[in-house]
């Protein structure tokens, strides 16, 4: 049974320090009988966005702020499984926000339990996907926990209303009315939504100062290509240009290389889980390189049937991640299948980065199924081309029978 407002004494808030969560702290205290608000920020690579967060949270009414370093777990337990699956939502989106929410929500639940909280609060809007991702995770680990979602109940109808409230409460914001893009940043990507992007007819202002943050537009990239080699062991990235690196550092290094070369900028109108279409611009420089490299390696390491079936799995896996269903039996089962397919996905992939393009430049693997002697156009002693006649006769038999039935 849901608790009444007067019975809620302690609330744990998913806190980013952005516009929504900045005003939620005083709003909670005003509307929930001056309840204690404990803020939690999951560090998944936001960088300088976390600077000064504790001081800001306390100043606006929080009793304390937890900043949890989740970077290593984020990459190893969420990004790598999704990469190995080859999961891409609607052919373009590399799921940067999607798989960051479950790991943050899981940690929030752990803190809420430790603190004896009465409720968990998030700042997701009623129009977005994140509300689902947060709340499904909360249900998975604290099924009876009360959830407060202010955007569904409060008096504010727009971000303009929120800014006005923040100004009235003297809450400092890092945005203004002119640069009020809705952004989400983590180690994997940066998303941009709102303002001029809400009209799909408008070209994004890639070259406008301050728009792109993880890199440059292809026009501003160097005129000389950059080569990079990514090494994998059982489908997992382990080295860049021969240098073994921890998971987090691999993403950071490839973000830098990709960003400098205008890699990984996506403009898409996607189908949100809640039913509407939404337009956004995503920057995923390192992730785009990793996806390209991993797919190239699978070309020579996976047999045809496994590769083709895995492509079907990738689409379903992407939907599960996008829909917030990370902590479900199906996602876990699909990950088990994916891990099985990755046992021989080991090797090196060389790529050429040039003005937003990723160009294949060579791939090697000790488990390669590519046999040059079989594939060659030159003379060989291992493939009898006469065998193909019988194969075609049998393979085409249903077509031949159907044609005869038509009287052809």
């Amino acid at each position: 049974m849901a608790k009444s407002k007067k019975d809620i004494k302690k609330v744990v808030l998913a806190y980013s320090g952005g516009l929504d969560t900045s005003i939620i702290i005083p709003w909670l205290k005003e509307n929930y009988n001056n309840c204690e608000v404990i803020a939690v920020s999951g560090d998944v690579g936001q960088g300088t966005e976390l600077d000064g967060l504790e001081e800001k949270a306390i100043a606006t009414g929080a009793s304390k702020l937890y900043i949890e370093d989740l970077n290593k777990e984020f990459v190893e337990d969420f990004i790598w499984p999704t990469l190995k699956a080859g999961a891409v939502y609607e052919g373009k989106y590399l799921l940067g926000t999607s798989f960051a929410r479950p790991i943050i929500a899981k940690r929030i639940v752990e803190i809420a339990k430790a603190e004896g909280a009465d409720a968990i609060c998030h700042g997701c809007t009623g129009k977005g996907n994140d509300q689902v991702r947060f709340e499904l995770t909360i249900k998975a680990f604290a099924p009876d926990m009360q959830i407060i979602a202010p955007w569904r109940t409060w008096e504010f109808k727009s971000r303009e209303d929120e800014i006005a409230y923040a100004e009235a409460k003297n809450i400092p914001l890092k945005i203004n009315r002119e640069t009020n893009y809705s952004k989400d940043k983590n180690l994997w990507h940066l998303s941009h939504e709102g303002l001029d992007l809400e009209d799909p007819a408008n070209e994004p202002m890639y070259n406008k100062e301050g728009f792109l943050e993880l890199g440059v537009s292809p026009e501003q990239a160097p005129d000389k290509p950059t080569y990079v080699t990514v090494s994998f062991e059982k489908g997992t990235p382990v080295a860049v240009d021969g240098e073994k690196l921890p998971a987090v550092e691999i993403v950071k290094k490839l973000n830098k290389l990709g960003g400098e070369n205008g890699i990984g900028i996506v403009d898409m109108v996607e189908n949100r889980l809640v039913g509407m279409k939404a337009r956004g611009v995503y920057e995923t420089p390192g992730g785009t390189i990793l996806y390209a490299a991993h797919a190239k390696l699978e070309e020579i390491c996976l047999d045809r049937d496994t590769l083709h079936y895995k492509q079907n799995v990738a689409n379903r896996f992407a939907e599960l991640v996008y829909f917030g269903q990370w902590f479900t039996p199906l996602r876990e089962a699909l990950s088990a299948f994916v891990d099985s397919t990755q046992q021989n996905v080991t090797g090196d992939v060389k790529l050429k980065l040039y003005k937003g393009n990723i160009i294949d430049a060579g791939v090697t693997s000790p488990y390669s199924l590519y046999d040059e002697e079989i594939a060659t156009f030159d003379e060989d002693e291992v493939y009898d081309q006469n065998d193909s006649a019988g194969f075609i006769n049998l393979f085409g038999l249903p077509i031949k029978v159907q044609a005869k039935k038509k009287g052809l």
Side-chain angles (χ1 to χ4, degrees):
M1 181 180 294
K3 297 178 179 178
S4 66
K5 287 188 175 183
K6 63 181 178 58
D7 292 328
I8 293 177
K9 308 296 184 184
K10 184 183 294 189
V11 179
V12 170
L13 168 66
Y15 183 74
S16 68
L19 175 59
D20 295 328
T21 58
S22 292
I23 67 171
I24 281 176
I25 294 176
W27 183 88
L28 281 172
K29 298 182 80 67
E30 287 177 359
N31 288 272
Y32 284 82
N33 200 28
N34 198 33
C35 64
E36 180 184 359
V37 179
I38 298 171
V40 179
S41 294
D43 179 1
V44 286
Q46 301 95 311
T48 57
E49 289 184 10
L50 297 171
D51 294 349
L53 218 54
E54 181 174 13
E55 180 183 355
K56 181 177 180 180
I58 301 299
T60 51
S63 63
K64 67 176 77 169
L65 170 69
Y66 289 87
I67 297 181
E68 302 293 292
D69 184 355
L70 304 174
N71 283 277
K72 183 175 183 292
E73 182 183 352
F74 179 40
V75 178
E76 294 179 353
D77 296 347
F78 292 80
I79 293 178
W80 283 174
T82 307
L83 168 68
K84 288 191 290 185
V88 182
Y89 186 68
E90 297 188 337
K92 298 177 78 172
Y93 175 41
L94 299 187
L95 299 164
T97 299
S98 307
F99 50 33
R101 297 310 185 226
I103 185 175
I104 294 171
K106 180 174 179 284
R107 185 65 186 124
I108 288 170
V109 169
E110 292 167 351
I111 291 173
K113 287 182 174 180
E115 288 282 354
D118 301 303
I120 290 175
C121 179
H122 64 73
C124 308
T125 76
K127 289 185 175 181
N129 300 303
D130 280 346
Q131 59 182 334
V132 182
R133 297 163 184 158
F134 268 109
E135 294 186 29
L136 292 189
T137 301
I138 295 168
K139 291 178 186 299
F141 294 99
D144 295 324
M145 180 67 69
Q146 188 153 333
I147 299 171
I148 300 172
W151 259 108
R152 297 180 206 154
T153 60
W154 66 11
E155 62 273 26
F156 310 123
K157 303 302 180 185
S158 67
R159 289 173 70 81
E160 285 286 320
D161 290 346
E162 291 182 279
I163 291 173
Y165 180 83
E167 290 173 346
K169 296 289 184 180
N170 296 314
I171 298 172
L173 299 173
K174 293 182 179 180
I175 62 172
N176 56 50
R177 296 176 190 271
E178 288 71 41
T179 62
N180 185 23
Y181 286 107
S182 176
K183 296 190 178 189
D184 178 76
K185 183 179 183 181
N186 60 44
L187 184 66
W188 188 247
H189 91 153
L190 173 65
S191 64
H192 311 254
E193 293 179 315
L195 297 181
D196 55 299
L197 298 179
E198 291 188 346
D199 184 351
N202 292 330
E203 180 181 4
M205 296 182 288
Y206 295 130
N207 293 323
K208 181 180 179 181
E209 185 177 354
F211 183 77
L212 295 177
E213 296 182 28
L214 301 186
V216 299
S217 69
E219 297 95 327
Q220 295 174 319
D223 294 329
K224 182 180 179 181
T226 298
Y227 285 89
V228 62
T229 298
V230 183
S231 301
F232 295 82
E233 291 180 5
K234 295 186 176 182
T236 299
V238 294
V240 177
D241 290 331
E243 181 186 5
K244 291 254 185 179
L245 293 169
V248 171
E249 296 308 313
I250 287 175
V251 177
K252 287 182 177 180
K253 184 165 185 173
L254 292 177
N255 273 342
K256 183 175 185 300
L257 287 175
E260 290 170 348
N261 286 278
I263 302 296
I265 302 170
V266 168
D267 176 5
M268 73 179 291
V269 176
E270 70 199 56
N271 289 291
R272 285 183 179 171
L273 176 58
V274 294
M276 71 183 71
K277 290 184 180 290
R279 197 269 189 100
V281 170
Y282 298 106
E283 299 179 62
T284 322
T288 302
I289 294 171
L290 285 167
Y291 265 78
H294 183 261
K296 188 64 181 177
L297 186 57
E298 285 192 326
E299 285 183 12
I300 66 170
C301 293
L302 295 187
D303 64 278
R304 180 190 64 199
D305 288 349
T306 300
L307 178 63
H308 289 184
Y309 192 81
K310 184 173 178 288
Q311 289 170 345
N312 295 330
V313 169
N315 186 58
R316 188 69 182 100
F317 197 106
E319 288 180 339
L320 291 172
V321 177
Y322 188 85
F323 296 163
Q325 296 172 294
W326 185 270
F327 297 108
T328 60
L330 179 55
R331 199 283 306 165
E332 293 171 0
L334 293 185
S335 282
F337 165 79
V338 168
D339 286 342
S340 177
T341 69
Q342 301 298 291
Q343 295 307 301
N344 292 333
V345 182
T346 295
D348 302 321
V349 182
K350 186 177 182 182
L351 300 171
K352 179 163 66 174
L353 315 178
Y354 182 67
K355 290 189 175 296
N357 296 290
I358 299 178
I359 303 164
D360 296 332
V363 56
T364 60
S365 170
Y367 302 105
S368 175
L369 299 178
Y370 179 82
D371 189 318
E372 187 174 351
E373 189 175 6
I374 292 176
T376 183
F377 282 98
D378 293 331
E379 182 179 353
D380 69 82
E381 298 180 356
V382 297
Y383 188 95
D384 187 347
Q385 298 197 30
N386 290 321
D387 291 343
S388 62
F391 166 74
I392 294 170
N393 285 336
L394 293 177
F395 191 62
L397 183 59
I399 298 173
K400 183 176 180 179
V401 171
Q402 187 178 43
K404 284 182 173 295
K405 290 292 184 180
K406 293 178 179 178
L408 299 176

